[in-house]
Amino acid sequence: MKQLSLLAASLMFSAGVLAGAADNVSVQDPYVRLAPPNAPATGAFMVIKNNGDKDVKVVKADNPVSKVTELHTHINDGGVMKMRPVPSIDIKAKGEAVLKPGSLHVMMIDIKTPMKEGDVVPITLSFDDGSTKQVDAKVVRPMAAPMPAAMEHKH
Amino acid sequence: MVERILIFVAGLLAAAIVGVALFWQPEMPERPLPKAVIAAGGDFTLQSASGPVALQNYRGKLVLVYFGYTFCPDICPTSLAATAEGLKQLTPEELARVAMIFVSVDPKRDTPARLAEYVDFFHPAIVGVTGTPENIAEIAKRYGVFYAEQKVETAGGGYVVDHSADTFIVAPDGQLVGKMAHATPPDQVVVAIRKYLNQP
Ligand SMILES: [Cu+2]
């Protein structure tokens, strides 16, 4: 009986941990870009929507396919693209973060086994309050997509 | 008095015309290089998996030149995928008159064999080349390309190479005539290629 209540307590506790930022977040169109042969790293992209009333931060990402997973962005410095790690991806209340090529991305470094088109990579996003969310991202071939840099001509 | 107003109006008009001439930038798929700061470009010979590749051997063809590296996790695949998609939209006759050279800015890690496999993933018309660090630095300088190894604080170790992400357009006569910005969409790549391909 004591064990049961302990179990109940721990269930409630874990439910308490799970509730939070992750519950208010939805993820759209997640995908991993198929790495070209010999490329040891690739990126995962998605749109992270915050449906809640509080700002949230993604502070960490994990995946089982690469040895290292990091949060990155690109800085376009006069045509020179500089990729840099970021401590977090911030998503304002009722806002969204767009992870896309040439911009914010989940970086998968040192891919353990080569991926194939159509594989699904489970990516776990961790939020600043400790809650987590798993996203299943499909592996797709690189495609031409509009980038921020390509839009600099639009006025 | 009337004369003064007329002079004033004329002055305004002149200023407007000069302003338009200076700042008017019609929507172009590529950024033509201003003559004053035009990068010289010019010929080079580098190594591919199937032997030396010399730009001067491509006379008669329009050559796209991109500077990147195979460890490049996002920028190169994005640019190459968009450009390759543009190449696929050309007619076979057009494609036969177009070549693309991917120059490694990471000669320490990129071998010709490694480059060959990498570029083939995007399009068979692309050839990957590398050379000595000095050789590549000299070519990059002529093309106005910046690149620098960065020890980025990643647990993944290694390094990333910051680099210019433009695709250079070398006309069939060997002249560097323009460049396309990073990730120029395929249809604009096609427009740019056709523009220079069909020039006398
Ligand atoms: Cu990255």
Side-chain angles (χ1 to χ4, degrees):
Chain A
M1 190 58 207
K2 202 177 176 184
Q3 268 174 329
L4 203 66
S5 62
L6 205 66
L7 180 71
S10 70
L11 272 178
M12 273 162 65
F13 177 69
S14 62
V17 168
L18 286 175
D23 283 348
N24 290 324
V25 163
S26 56
V27 173
Q28 291 174 344
D29 310 322
Y31 71 95
V32 171
R33 187 160 56 191
L34 178 64
N38 296 327
T42 192
F45 309 96
M46 64 195 76
V47 178
I48 308 172
K49 277 191 179 331
N50 178 5
N51 308 310
D53 300 321
K54 268 192 277 177
D55 298 357
V56 300
K57 283 175 194 245
V58 178
V59 292
K60 196 163 80 80
D62 277 303
N63 86 89
V65 177
S66 68
K67 282 194 199 133
V68 177
T69 316
E70 293 180 356
L71 305 174
H72 280 189
T73 195
H74 273 102
I75 303 154
N76 184 343
D77 184 356
V80 178
M81 299 300 281
K82 302 182 168 179
M83 186 173 77
R84 297 291 181 266
V86 291
S88 64
I89 293 174
D90 303 3
I91 312 151
K92 290 247 171 292
K94 303 287 177 204
E96 62 179 37
V98 181
L99 280 61
K100 61 184 173 186
S103 178
L104 287 168
H105 56 279
V106 173
M107 189 81 215
M108 300 164 63
I109 305 167
D110 286 343
I111 297 159
K112 294 182 215 163
T113 43
M115 290 174 257
K116 299 187 308 294
E117 224 175 326
D119 285 356
V120 172
V121 179
I123 296 171
T124 306
L125 303 176
S126 302
F127 297 89
D128 51 344
D129 64 352
S131 61
T132 60
K133 186 177 195 71
Q134 189 187 308
V135 176
D136 288 328
K138 211 179 205 168
V139 177
V140 299
R141 279 187 74 87
M143 278 177 311
M147 301 313 136
M151 295 197 288
E152 68 188 8
H153 303 289
K154 300 259 149 55
H155 297 287
Chain B
M1 185 64 197
V2 172
E3 204 174 329
R4 275 197 166 189
I5 290 171
L6 275 177
I7 289 168
F8 178 69
V9 168
L12 268 185
L13 275 172
I17 288 164
V18 168
V20 166
L22 281 178
F23 299 110
W24 169 253
Q25 287 185 317
E27 278 210 24
M28 297 273 280
E30 84 282 11
R31 293 176 289 175
L33 299 171
K35 279 280 181 271
V37 293
I38 195 158
D43 290 335
F44 56 80
T45 304
L46 289 166
Q47 296 300 318
S48 79
S50 43
V53 168
L55 183 62
Q56 51 272 34
N57 291 345
Y58 287 90
R59 287 298 116 81
K61 283 192 181 196
L62 179 136
V63 187
L64 303 178
V65 183
Y66 185 84
F67 294 79
Y69 67 116
T70 66
F71 281 67
C72 183
D74 181 33
I75 297 304
C76 303
T78 300
S79 261
L80 290 175
T83 312
E85 206 48 50
L87 293 177
K88 286 173 196 162
Q89 289 177 19
L90 297 174
T91 67
E93 293 74 29
E94 286 169 331
L95 186 58
R97 295 166 56 209
V98 175
M100 179 158 181
I101 303 175
F102 179 90
V103 179
S104 173
V105 290
D106 189 8
K108 274 197 267 175
R109 293 185 295 190
D110 282 340
T111 60
R114 192 185 168 89
L115 282 159
E117 245 189 290
Y118 182 85
V119 295
D120 193 55
F121 174 78
F122 294 98
H123 200 284
I126 309 174
V127 58
V129 296
T130 185
T132 64
E134 298 74 32
N135 203 348
I136 287 172
E138 188 271 324
I139 296 162
K141 201 173 168 196
R142 278 196 272 133
Y143 277 80
V145 166
F146 171 87
Y147 65 97
E149 253 174 53
Q150 290 295 337
K151 258 278 176 223
V152 168
E153 285 302 309
T154 71
Y159 55 89
V160 300
V161 184
D162 295 342
H163 62 97
S164 311
D166 296 317
T167 302
F168 294 90
I169 304 172
V170 177
D173 64 356
Q175 290 298 312
L176 174 58
V177 286
K179 57 182 182 176
M180 296 184 280
H182 171 61
T184 296
D187 52 335
Q188 293 185 25
V189 170
V190 171
V191 169
I193 290 176
R194 287 197 174 133
K195 180 183 163 192
Y196 292 108
L197 207 51
N198 298 325
Q199 257 169 21

